[in-house]
């Protein structure tokens, strides 16, 4: 069986051993005679899956007891609305740092809920970098500061987080679990699962517990974080199969030696591609400035659209999947999440060098 070199931006590559385990267990999960998909979400067997996913995430990310872990649906996009609905209180101002299309979308939803302020932005520079920490200007009456830790579309990433006396909220959809992060520094972290955590369908929210005390009662039940916190995310039917897959991915990360090992590998992978770009003498041109480069999404362009098209077509023939840049940006993007093996990055770099030889 030939597996693709999968550089999709999300949904994206999953670890092969995880897929194989899911396949093995698909028809008969732990001798129940049923698939996980067919189990009651109130059964003992599912409860173990659910709690194991939570426990492993807590262990791997070193999530302190001050923070709760919630499983929701609606993707990271619903969090764009839920964050301000739950945490932007009357008379306060939600602060956003704009670093790309996803932070713009998050801001757009917050504006529908209450007062907002752009604390910093790199929009003028076509989102080629993360604003310097000293350029962040908070408003008065700050409710929270929202950042997008990794910008999936533009290929930039925060390598240092703001240390300000304000509740920090991060959309970590495209780099959660890819590097060590001090969770204590964050009031809330959210991430759609479909990059580093598992398949789409479940959204992880890590929230500091004291924030739960001030959430307005009038919110619709399913849009209130307290509903999930007080029911162990089992108020209604959770996305059971997605959570099962999450638990398998987390076990895989644990078996690899945890996030520190994964982070080291991710840096090596990114380095292989950035080195190839840097050594191409401008044939491949990186979108992100050096200090803001993402270890998850490597974005670059070729000298013209014609060459980009040929590059993408040839890459596809060689089994490299998902290299077209986002439709809003164009060019190319290699998404190299946790499950993308180092060999895939080496093979891509070899192909890029060989392609360049033929076209210069
Ligand atoms: C950084 C970031 N935020 C939010 C989203 C939207 O996520 P979802 O499709 O789960 O709503 C994405 C999707 O790619 C993303 O990369």
């Amino acid at each position: 069986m030939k597996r693709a070199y999968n550089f999709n931006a999300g949904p994206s590559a999953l670890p092969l051993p995880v897929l194989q385990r899911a396949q093995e267990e698909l028809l008969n999960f732990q001798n129940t005679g049923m698939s996980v998909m067919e189990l009651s979400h109130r059964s003992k067997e599912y409860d173990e899956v659910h709690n194991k996913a939570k426990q492993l995430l807590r262990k791997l990310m070193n999530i302190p007891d001050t923070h709760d872990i919630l499983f929701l649906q609606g993707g990271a996009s619903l969090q764009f609305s839920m964050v301000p609905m739950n945490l932007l209180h009357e008379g306060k101002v939600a602060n956003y740092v704009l670093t790309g299309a996803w932070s713009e979308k998050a801001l757009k939803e917050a504006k529908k809920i209450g007062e907002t302020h752009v604390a910093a932005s790199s929009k003028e520079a076509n989102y080629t970098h993360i604003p310097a920490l000293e350029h962040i200007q908070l408003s008065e009456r700050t409710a929270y500061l929202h950042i997008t830790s990794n910008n999936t579309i533009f290929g930039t990433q925060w390598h240092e987080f703001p240390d300000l006396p304000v509740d920090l909220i991060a959309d970590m959809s495209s780099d959660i679990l890819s590097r060590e992060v001090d969770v204590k520094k964050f009031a809330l972290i959210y991430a759609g699962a479909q990059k580093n955590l598992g398949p789409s369908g479940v959204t992880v929210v890590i929230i500091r517990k004291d924030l739960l005390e001030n959430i307005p009662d009038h919110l619709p039940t399913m849009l209130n974080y307290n509903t999930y916190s007080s029911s162990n995310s089992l108020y209604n039917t959770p996305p059971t199969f997605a959570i099962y897959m999450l638990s398998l991915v987390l076990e895989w990360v644990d078996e690899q030696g945890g996030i520190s090992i994964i982070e080291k590998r991710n840096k090596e992978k990114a380095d292989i591609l950035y080195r190839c770009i840097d050594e191409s003498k401008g044939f491949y041109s990186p979108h992100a400035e050096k200090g803001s480069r993402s270890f998850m999404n490597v974005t670059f362009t070729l000298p013209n659209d014609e060459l980009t098209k040929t590059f993408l077509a040839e890459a596809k023939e060689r089994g490299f999947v998902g290299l077209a840049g986002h439709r809003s940006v164009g060019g190319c993007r290699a998404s190299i999440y946790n499950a993308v093996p180092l060999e895939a990055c080496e093979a891509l770099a070899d192909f890029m060098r060989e392609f360049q030889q033929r076209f210069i």
Side-chain angles (χ1 to χ4, degrees), residues 6-14 102 152-153 173-174 192-200 296-297 321-322 324 326-327 333-337 340:
N6 185 349
F7 294 99
N8 279 329
S12 48
L14 285 165
W102 296 115
T152 326
I153 294 176
S173 292
S174 53
Q194 63 272 18
K195 291 132 183 6
N196 276 331
L197 295 176
S200 60
M296 294 281 98
N297 310 96
V321 175
H326 188 268
R327 58 191 182 281
R333 167 177 56 176
S335 298
I336 49 174
Y337 301 120
V340 175

Side-chain angles (χ1 to χ4, degrees), residues 9-11 74-80 101-103 105 148-153 171-175 190-195 200-203 297 326 333 337:
S77 299
L78 183 60
Q79 294 313 302
F80 298 163
W102 296 115
S103 27
K105 285 196 170 155
T148 312
S149 59
N150 182 74
N151 300 281
T152 326
I153 294 176
D171 173 0
M172 285 197 190
S173 292
S174 53
D175 68 351
Y190 63 90
Q194 63 272 18
K195 291 132 183 6
S200 60
V202 59
T203 311
N297 310 96
H326 188 268
R333 167 177 56 176
Y337 301 120

Side-chain angles (χ1 to χ4, degrees), residues 297-348:
N297 310 96
V298 179
T299 48
F300 57 94
T301 52
L302 281 82
N304 57 55
D305 285 350
E306 207 50 49
L307 267 181
T308 306
K309 257 195 214 147
T310 313
F311 175 83
L312 290 171
E314 282 197 24
K316 198 168 167 199
E317 267 171 36
R318 306 273 192 105
F320 299 107
V321 175
L323 287 174
H326 188 268
R327 58 191 182 281
S328 64
V329 179
C332 303
R333 167 177 56 176
S335 298
I336 49 174
Y337 301 120
N338 290 354
V340 175
L342 191 100
E343 303 81 65
C345 298
E346 279 169 344
L348 177 60

Side-chain angles (χ1 to χ4, degrees), residues 139-156:
S139 69
E140 285 180 356
R141 299 173 283 113
T142 316
Y144 57 76
L145 175 66
H146 179 284
I147 64 167
T148 312
S149 59
N150 182 74
N151 300 281
T152 326
I153 294 176
F154 292 93
T156 59

Side-chain angles (χ1 to χ4, degrees), residues 26 29 34 89 93 99 116 150 210 254 256 263 274 289 293:
L26 189 70
F29 179 71
M34 289 176 271
H89 303 307
V93 184
T99 51
T116 61
N150 182 74
D210 62 282
D254 203 21
Q256 302 302 297
E263 175 172 4
Y274 285 122
E289 286 176 17
R293 285 175 171 179

Side-chain angles (χ1 to χ4, degrees), residues 148-216:
T148 312
S149 59
N150 182 74
N151 300 281
T152 326
I153 294 176
F154 292 93
T156 59
Q157 188 173 25
W158 291 74
H159 293 298
E160 220 188 330
F161 294 113
D163 205 357
L164 295 165
V166 62
D167 282 339
L168 183 61
I169 295 185
D171 173 0
M172 285 197 190
S173 292
S174 53
D175 68 351
I176 192 166
L177 220 62
S178 72
R179 56 173 169 169
E180 289 187 297
V181 159
D182 184 2
V183 174
K184 279 197 304 300
K185 276 193 157 188
F186 296 86
L188 189 148
I189 292 170
Y190 63 90
Q194 63 272 18
K195 291 132 183 6
N196 276 331
L197 295 176
S200 60
V202 59
T203 311
V204 168
V205 170
I206 301 165
I207 182 169
R208 213 179 59 224
K209 288 175 186 164
D210 62 282
L211 296 172
L212 296 165
E213 289 161 20
N214 296 320
I215 293 174

